[in-house]
Amino acid sequence: MPFITVKDGAEIFYKDWGNPEGPVVFFSHGWPLSSDNFEAQMFFMANQGCRVVAHDRRGHGRSSQVWEGNNIDQWADDLAELFEKLDVKEMMMVGHSTGGGEIVRYCARHGTSRVSKLVLIDSTPPFMLKSETNTAGVPIEVFDGFRAAMEKDRSQFFFDVASGPFYGFNREGAKKSDGIIYSWWQQGMISGFKATYDCISFWHTVDQTEEMKKIDVPTLIIHGDDDQIVPIDCSARLGIKLLPKGKLIEFPGGPHGLPNIEPVWVNERLLEWLKS
């Protein structure tokens, strides 16, 4: 399996599929998942003649379960080393949830010389924490509850998230997919406890408002308006006001896990944005 070893010794797993001469599309997964969660999009875009690249964030999936470095700056630096090794240029970067925050930080920290466009799907920026100035945000008690639930029984907690709010399966009339639930749970359980635990603090400590204002490439925001994990009012609807070159597409009734629940629709939007 392909890995790169980054400067601090961590091994980062990556996938590199499709046409090596085609337009590059990079995918950054959400918490607590891996590159596997974007397989429907990667398969589709590769079949459109693209070169598709995705990684398992450090501590996630098949990458090293390091104790240190589970923070957004290090995630961005890992990407910079991966892109240098693969010599990717003019890529469209796609991030889901936490992965959206990761690619925004990459652009802020390393620039956009390798980037042509961004896509943020149900993503965390600009800032999730509820405050007097961000009343639509998520209360700190929710994040504290996540940590407590992981410490008590991570396996059950991950199952509850996947079978409930992540995909909107807790909504009346929702049709559950056992396959999607178990895939999410399996990806989460393969990822390291420390990395997935540390990631929770990113959601309530990192404000990416100023970073969003400085993104100098066209950026598409896709967000479900019934997202129970990253509420649309503290993310997409604020983020679009910050972006110099932004476009927002809302999916009515859409949950947080749009790439898995609505893969055909998401794939069509990605291809349209790539060709625009």
Side-chain angles (χ1 to χ4, degrees):
M1 294 191 292
F3 291 86
I4 65 163
T5 301
V6 295
K7 292 176 181 177
D8 71 351
E11 291 187 321
I12 306 298
F13 171 83
Y14 67 92
K15 300 176 182 179
D16 190 351
W17 295 357
N19 177 9
E21 303 302 322
V24 180
V25 184
F26 171 76
F27 292 90
S28 179
H29 63 82
W31 173 95
L33 306 170
S34 72
S35 56
D36 293 350
N37 209 52
F38 263 127
E39 282 191 337
Q41 286 69 46
M42 294 179 68
F43 181 74
F44 173 80
M45 297 302 286
N47 279 323
Q48 302 301 315
C50 297
R51 178 186 181 188
V52 293
V53 177
H55 75 317
D56 291 356
R57 189 173 300 116
R58 61 171 51 218
H60 295 67
R62 287 137 292 204
S63 293
S64 296
Q65 293 193 11
V66 294
W67 192 257
E68 302 293 343
N70 299 306
N71 61 77
I72 193 170
D73 282 344
Q74 185 60 62
W75 301 341
D77 293 350
D78 290 345
L79 291 187
E81 291 196 54
L82 175 63
F83 298 154
E84 182 177 0
K85 172 183 172 61
L86 299 181
D87 193 28
V88 293
K89 300 173 182 177
E90 291 296 311
M91 64 177 159
M92 182 172 84
M93 301 184 78
V94 182
H96 174 248
S97 193
T98 297
E102 180 180 57
I103 65 175
V104 168
R105 178 56 57 92
Y106 168 81
C107 292
R109 194 167 170 86
H110 296 281
T112 55
S113 62
R114 297 183 183 272
V115 183
S116 61
K117 297 176 180 179
L118 296 182
V119 182
L120 306 176
I121 305 176
D122 298 319
S123 290
T124 56
F127 192 36
M128 287 182 64
L129 181 65
K130 183 176 183 178
S131 67
E132 292 183 359
T133 58
N134 189 29
T135 57
V138 179
I140 187 63
E141 290 79 11
V142 172
F143 305 116
D144 291 340
F146 274 30
R147 279 184 282 261
M150 282 190 66
E151 291 176 20
K152 181 180 180 181
D153 187 343
R154 181 171 77 134
S155 181
Q156 185 63 51
F157 172 56
F158 281 3
F159 183 80
D160 291 343
V161 172
S163 60
F166 199 93
Y167 294 113
F169 291 151
N170 57 341
R171 295 307 197 200
E172 184 177 355
K175 184 179 179 180
K176 286 190 176 183
S177 165
D178 290 340
I180 287 177
I181 292 169
Y182 286 115
S183 176
W184 196 99
W185 177 87
Q186 180 185 51
Q187 290 176 65
M189 293 305 297
I190 289 174
S191 295
F193 192 107
K194 180 66 159 55
T196 53
Y197 188 92
D198 286 354
C199 181
I200 296 171
S201 67
F202 156 68
W203 302 330
H204 64 83
T205 61
V206 178
D207 186 341
Q208 297 188 275
T209 298
E210 295 305 315
E211 296 172 47
M212 296 279 280
K213 293 177 181 178
K214 296 176 183 178
I215 294 176
D216 59 0
V217 296
T219 302
L220 173 64
I221 298 178
I222 296 172
H223 214 104
D225 69 5
D226 190 33
D227 189 330
Q228 300 173 67
I229 304 298
V230 181
I232 192 170
D233 285 330
C234 74
S235 52
R237 289 175 181 165
L238 288 182
I240 193 61
K241 298 175 183 178
L242 303 172
L243 292 168
K245 302 176 182 179
K247 177 181 179 180
L248 171 61
I249 300 177
E250 297 185 14
F251 191 99
H256 187 61
L258 277 179
N260 309 117
I261 293 294
E262 298 290 343
V264 174
W265 185 87
V266 170
N267 292 348
E268 291 173 349
R269 302 292 85 71
L270 293 180
L271 187 59
E272 290 172 358
W273 189 243
L274 179 67
K275 292 182 174 180
S276 65

